[in-house]
DNA sequence: AAATCATTGTGTAAAATTTACGCATTGAAT
DNA sequence: ATTCAATGCGTAAATTTTACACAATGATTT
């Protein structure tokens, strides 16, 4: 089964290139990302895949995101291309080949997967509860990991996550963030916690609110979040149009 | 000759990937970049090349920069990977194939070069006068073009330049710039003109000087530029150590 | 030789932004 | 009924950014 799949895919896709996606979610006050456990191993990796011969790299990334999460219409950001000759950074060659053989059931196929491949890295921000985490044909398990508990991953995927985070942190300084990452309605403290988590920094809630409101992308609703401890906070929602305008024109998050 | 070279190279390099470099220089108050004219055609492109099978993408970019300019020890920045299925954006398929045939002397090789290739884009900043502009084995001419006079280029290279410029403009906001782009000693107005050219914006020279001096990367020399019209300006030089520290820690160019 | 003039060197006040911080209110939990 | 942690709202201080003027220089012109 796995062998058949691999053979078919190898024929239809580019041989020297692949895609890897860092899919960020936000839950329980922590930044999380989706990881996959390779069949019959304890080896984890980022969601990734190959590029069909008649498919653009961007399309491949979008397709992979859809396959792993069920989500479409999510914007993906290409952040770096990983072109080292040996991208097996953490394990020994023997360890990695052993894992690959366990997954693919033959050393022939393991070698094919092990050979030099350049990978284009994309990251995406998705709404945690909307994700239907779905494994690959070569993975047993697909689940969220908190950013602080990520284990040593296959290939150079730990470095990929580092770089994706750097790119995200760079991005948050000039683009609004939260749409697709938070539920439709959210409170100001929730939005603040998202920013604080990504930048690993605390903000004064009064100044944070002032700055975010100055972007003119938030709509304050009549409703409040009920049933929560203490004073019930107002709910907010992004104004789609204004949010997109702010993406175009850029903002300056300078806290 | 060209055919032999192509055959040899095709064997030793990755088949589906290439590198393209946007090499920026600064001269006569204008931002310039190196372009190559393909043999026996009027078609211009960015300097580029293939990646050897045992060579990292970064190394290939460094090597290409060295081959075209004679310069080493220049930092290259990967800014985007171009993965569309059809990267011939400006000419018709017929026009492009015609040019490639003129260069390679056979439709067989033209087709090989025409097929789908994903390209990793790098940009570099170099000192204009230090560059020994050297053509490829498949190009007749290598020379500087002012940014405002760039013609329609082969493949998607106009888009590449746009993206490289965007990346450079992004970069200048958080990293110091000028080392490797200006001669060793330069005046404050010269440095300012560089910033103004890249960002296409004018600054107040007093505020500019104050901000740049606040980075603590410049050494003011005793000397002045002589023989120049009007009041002779002081010369400055980057303090290599402090410059690199500022690259690490980042600066905030907020004018 | 004197006058001209474009360019450079230098400092300060006003405006805008960012930061710091206090008190009243709410509503679940005690 | 009281407590208490979290929220809503506003203002003063500090810092940063912006705006701006006049003296000095030295090649060029008269």
């Amino acid at each position: 089964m796995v062998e058949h799949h691999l053979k078919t895919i190898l024929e239809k896709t580019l041989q020297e290139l692949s895609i890897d996606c860092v899919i960020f979610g936000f839950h329980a006050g922590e930044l999380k990302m989706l990881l996959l456990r390779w069949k019959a191993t304890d080896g984890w990796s980022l969601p990734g895949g190959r590029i069909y011969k008649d498919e653009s790299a961007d399309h491949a990334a979008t397709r992979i995101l859809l396959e792993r999460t069920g989500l479409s219409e999510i914007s993906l950001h290409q952040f770096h291309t990983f072109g080292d000759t040996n991208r097996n950074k953490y394990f020994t060659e023997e360890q990695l080949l052993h894992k690959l053989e366990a997954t693919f059931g033959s050393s022939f196929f393991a070698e094919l997967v092990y050979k030099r491949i350049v990978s284009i890295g994309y990251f995406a921000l998705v709404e945690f509860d909307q994700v239907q985490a779905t494994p690959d044909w070569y993975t047993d398990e697909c689940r969220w990991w908190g950013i602080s508990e990520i284990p040593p991953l296959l290939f150079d995927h730990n470095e990929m996550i580092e770089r994706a985070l750097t790119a995200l942190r760079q991005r948050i300084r000039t683009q609004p963030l939260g749409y697709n990452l938070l539920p439709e309605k959210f409170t100001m403290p929730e939005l603040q916690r998202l920013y604080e988590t990504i930048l690993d920094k605390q903000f004064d809630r009064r100044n944070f609110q002032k700055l975010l409101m100055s972007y003119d992308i938030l709509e304050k609703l009549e409703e409040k979040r009920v049933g929560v401890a203490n004073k019930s906070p107002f709910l907010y929602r992004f104004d789609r149009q204004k949010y997109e305008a702010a993406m175009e024109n850029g903002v300056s998050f300078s806290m």
Side-chain angles (χ1 to χ4, degrees), chain A residues 51-67:
Chain A
I51 306 167
Y52 287 109
K53 287 179 176 168
D54 58 354
E55 176 190 50
S56 74
D58 287 353
H59 185 275
T62 308
R63 176 174 53 75
I64 288 162
L65 176 67
L66 174 63
E67 287 170 1

Side-chain angles (χ1 to χ4, degrees), chain A residues 144-185:
Chain A
W144 291 106
W145 287 72
I147 197 170
S148 54
E149 53 181 20
I150 307 276
L153 303 176
L154 297 172
F155 312 110
D156 51 0
H157 289 194
N158 291 91
E159 187 194 333
M160 282 190 181
I161 290 174
E162 275 310 306
R163 281 208 185 243
L165 254 179
T166 304
L168 175 59
R169 286 180 179 145
Q170 185 85 4
R171 194 183 178 76
I172 204 175
R173 294 281 166 193
T174 55
Q175 309 269 123
L177 179 137
Y179 191 77
N180 274 344
L181 202 47
L182 291 173
E184 198 205 340
K185 299 173 182 180

